[in-house]
Amino acid sequence: GAVVSQHPSRVICKSGTSVKIECRSLDFQATTMFWYRQFPKQSLMLMATSNEGSKATYEQGVEKDKFLINHASLTLSTLTVTSAHPEDSSFYICSARAGNYEQYFGPGTRLTVT
Amino acid sequence: AQKITQTQPGMFVQEKEAVTLDCTYDTSDPSYGLFWYKQPSSGEMIFLIYQGSYDQQNATEGRYSLNFQKARKSANLVISASQLGDSAMYFCAMRAPEYGNKLVFGAGTILRVKS
């Protein structure tokens, strides 16, 4: 199956700083990438959808100025959590899809804001 | 109505036994896809099985099978011969034009396999 990587797998940052998470499709070109957030023992919540070369579409209630998404190429999307606060601590998962086919998930990034 | 409903927050099963994880869905689209994912404690989402709404037969993948009852809008996952490594969170998901063709997830079911 196709492989999606995320980096870093874990990150700890201080409150008020920004942190960038990378999502890469390693062996296919992803026309669409998705970013999810997951709290412990809860389901995945879609934050935003990004198509290569265009602005991300954010789900209702997700602050676009806080969660900056860039999908600059067909293999790379980044999520930047700006001015992070402890309540932003969560598990962030990206997913990539080529066309209208299967969606492949990255291994996730655990963010802890102290 | 909830788009995807998983009514079992947690399930226990004895090793080597079969277990059914329930999932019901709601969409008015005639064409849609149903997915099951496994999420172990490591957090990665592992794709298990897919059922298309027009598929005539229930999907099967090794020890996983999907009991698709279209009229009831249910897509239960059956795991046969449970193994200790099956202990994980399981999510049912749907993709349908009505929801922008984005995956919509259920709340999940935590499965614990007992030895």
Side-chain angles (χ1 to χ4, degrees), chain A residues 38 43 46 59 97 100-101, chain B residues 39 43 95 101-102 105-106:
Chain A
Q38 185 182 29
S43 189
L46 181 64
E59 296 298 304
R97 192 171 79 194
N100 203 28
Y101 300 105
Chain B
Q39 187 181 40
R95 191 161 78 203
N101 277 321
K102 303 173 202 176
F105 287 89

Side-chain angles (χ1 to χ4, degrees), chain A residues 49-51 53-58 69:
Chain A
T49 304
S50 73
N51 292 297
S54 60
K55 287 186 179 180
T57 302
Y58 290 81
I69 291 170

Side-chain angles (χ1 to χ4, degrees), chain A residues 2-9 21-28 33 35 75-77 93-96 104-109:
Chain A
V3 179
V4 176
S5 70
Q6 265 184 257
H7 178 79
S9 56
I21 302 169
E22 289 188 351
C23 175
R24 292 180 186 273
S25 56
L26 298 185
D27 50 3
F28 69 101
M33 285 188 170
W35 286 94
T75 59
L76 173 64
S77 176
I93 307 175
C94 76
S95 180
Y104 300 96
F105 286 85
T109 296

